[in-house]
Amino acid sequence: MSPLNIVVGITGGIAAYKAVGVVRALVLAGHDVHVVPTEGALRFVGRPTLEAISRNPVHTDLYEGVAEVRHVAIGQAADLIVIAPATANTIAKLATGLADDLLGNTVLASEAPVVIAPAMHTEMWRHPATQANVATLRSRGVTIVGPAVGQLTGADSGPGRMEEPEVIAAAALERAAASARRDLAGRRVVVTAGGTREPLDPVRFLGNRSSGKQGVAIAEAARARGAEVTLIAANLEIAAPEGCDIRRVSTALELQQAVTDAAKGADVVVMAAAVADYRPADVSESKLKKDEGDGGMTLELVRNPDILAGLGGAPHDGTLLMGFAAETEPDDDRLLALGRAKLEAKGADLIVINRVGWHEGFASDENRVVVIGRDGEIVTRAHGTKASVADDILDVVVSESTTAASAADTTKEHEPTT
Ligand code: CTP
């Protein structure tokens, strides 16, 4: 990677001392790093330390360097902005777009990708205000790294600890590389995300635990890489990303309609949504009442269409079809075999095998997947944040569609001209 101009914002939390490690990792990787600490950050770590480690002068005051219009110049010149630690206060300010210090101005004056590493006490992290602010930032394309779960400043532990400096530096550089790639420019990518809900009556549904995080991460990453993205969103638990054409659906039949429309002429369709295989045979117009007595209840269900198999079975020249296989199988070989069987049965070009369970897969911010290609071969294995897994999955999409396009060109070359 050629050297980047990186702004590292440091805000006023105890983890500020660990931010020195982030600066150091980025400098050692050959980048030009400019540290913008808040006043609060300088109570935890001294300016001379930051200047020595970053090898650049450190500014913090909005009213210094006015002649060189520093409050916008730093942001305009940046290729990447990393904020570590990002306190609850800073996250709230970023979500609102406040610019009352040099860091706030720098972020607003920049078009560079922004990566933040939250650090705070568990209660503050879980507070609905913080969660809403994080969701806003994520929907604007900000990459959130962590927080990790572990020992906090006091005797308590839980989610809120800043991720390790090397992890933050690596995630930030990965994000910058993805933004610089633009290797999906001009491509139309359709992604389904979330889980369908099949109504029983006006107040109840049959659903599943898919949060939509992995599908949304793929949509975000594809958009960052230049694609025109349609996101078919089924009951997402997180905010839909900006910059995508969002089509909201709830049931499998609605999802089928939306994806069939959107797939026409698309270059790539990624079926990350968890689709209900069955729906109630009858949907009651009024709330179902329980019978008197202690008897149970039997629900009659009918099969939903297999949407991916429908797309795979129809002619889809020029459209790369990627499915997901959500499996609870603990044995690795059997897991792969289940994924291969799904790839075959559905006529997909690629399948992403994803182990799910009570404690893995769904709501988590991390994922571990294996991607299988047309001939059943393992194309890639990926694990890490759902954002980094999304980029690894899109790397496969890019290389597979390039291979398919060049194969098509070769065929054309050999076609007899009449
Ligand atoms: N899928 C679909 N339509 C369905 C069910 C699933 O298009 N009615 C898609 C999913 O979006 C995913 C792939 O098929 O890309 C595999 O989904 P999964 O839930 O893993 O498997 P199922 O086909 O439902 O099979 P099973 O539940 O028996 O494991």
Side-chain angles (χ1 to χ4, degrees):
M1 185 186 283
S2 50
L4 300 175
N5 178 324
I6 304 177
V7 169
V8 177
I10 304 182
T11 73
I14 182 64
Y17 81 92
K18 287 207 290 181
V20 175
V22 177
V23 176
R24 186 158 176 76
L26 294 171
V27 169
L28 291 181
H31 303 289
D32 185 19
V33 180
H34 299 266
V35 180
V36 180
T38 61
E39 291 291 348
L42 291 179
R43 291 171 179 241
F44 291 98
V45 54
R47 189 192 300 250
T49 306
L50 300 174
E51 292 194 334
I53 300 292
S54 71
R55 305 174 189 171
N56 271 317
V58 168
H59 307 286
T60 186
D61 189 342
L62 202 48
Y63 300 100
E64 274 173 12
V66 176
E68 60 195 72
V69 205
R70 187 176 291 149
H71 71 292
V72 291
I74 299 174
Q76 284 171 338
D79 300 309
L80 170 68
I81 298 180
V82 186
I83 303 180
T87 57
N89 181 50
T90 295
I91 290 173
K93 284 166 62 171
L94 292 173
T96 320
L98 280 187
D100 61 351
D101 59 11
L102 189 58
L103 182 58
N105 279 268
T106 299
V107 172
L108 286 189
S110 178
E111 290 178 352
V114 178
V115 175
I116 69 166
M120 65 198 73
H121 278 276
T122 303
E123 293 82 356
M124 295 172 83
W125 170 249
R126 288 194 176 138
H127 194 284
T130 305
Q131 287 301 308
N133 291 330
V134 168
T136 301
L137 294 180
R138 191 176 270 130
S139 75
R140 286 190 202 139
V142 171
T143 299
I144 318 286
V145 184
V149 179
Q151 176 89 52
L152 302 171
T153 326
D156 47 347
S157 66
R161 193 183 151 86
M162 189 175 87
E163 250 315 347
E164 292 309 316
E166 314 73 59
V167 175
I168 298 169
L173 293 177
E174 202 172 298
R175 170 65 203 275
S179 300
R181 252 180 260 156
R182 311 287 299 171
D183 51 6
L184 286 170
R187 307 280 183 88
R188 215 160 73 64
V189 176
V190 178
V191 182
T192 68
T196 64
R197 291 180 179 177
E198 309 299 324
L200 276 159
D201 68 15
V203 296
R204 303 182 180 97
F205 58 83
L206 295 179
N208 60 67
R209 290 179 42 228
S210 174
S211 59
K213 285 184 180 172
Q214 186 63 75
V216 164
I218 294 172
E220 277 181 335
R223 182 205 51 188
R225 290 165 75 154
E228 184 193 323
V229 180
T230 302
L231 175 65
I232 300 176
N235 311 297
L236 299 183
E237 279 177 16
I238 55 167
E242 283 180 15
C244 300
D245 173 13
I246 313 285
R247 313 219 180 140
R248 297 207 181 257
V249 297
S250 189
T251 65
L253 291 178
E254 289 168 8
L255 192 142
Q256 181 187 35
Q257 181 67 56
V259 75
T260 311
D261 287 350
K264 288 183 193 121
D267 297 291
V268 183
V269 176
V270 181
M271 282 290 295
V275 182
D277 291 320
Y278 297 91
R279 66 181 182 278
D282 296 305
V283 181
S284 171
E285 279 306 312
S286 55
K287 187 179 170 220
L288 291 169
K289 293 289 183 190
K290 58 184 162 301
D291 286 337
E292 294 306 318
D294 296 332
M297 181 191 189
T298 305
L299 280 178
E300 195 192 335
L301 304 177
V302 291
R303 273 292 283 273
N304 271 329
D306 189 319
I307 303 167
L308 179 57
L311 295 171
H316 59 273
D317 272 5
T319 307
L320 188 82
L321 277 185
M322 175 180 261
F324 269 65
E327 306 291 351
T328 51
E329 172 58 56
D331 178 80
D332 284 345
D333 289 338
R334 284 201 291 269
L335 181 78
L336 290 178
L338 287 170
R340 290 188 177 110
K342 268 185 194 169
L343 174 88
E344 178 90 28
K346 293 173 188 262
D349 301 306
L350 294 161
I351 203 131
V352 181
I353 308 177
N354 198 187
R355 191 177 273 129
V356 293
W358 294 111
H359 304 292
E360 59 185 327
F362 293 119
S364 158
D365 288 323
E366 309 259 310
N367 209 355
R368 178 179 291 273
V369 303
V370 182
V371 184
I372 303 283
R374 282 183 200 88
D375 301 323
E377 77 286 12
I378 294 177
V379 185
T380 199
R381 291 179 186 271
H383 67 96
T385 61
K386 286 188 171 168
S388 86
V389 167
D391 266 317
D392 291 343
I393 288 173
L394 290 177
D395 287 345
V396 175
V397 164
V398 169
S399 77
E400 290 289 315
S401 31
T402 315
T403 317
S406 55
D409 286 350
T410 319
T411 321
K412 266 187 211 141
E413 275 167 27
H414 296 293
E415 272 168 12
T417 43
T418 48

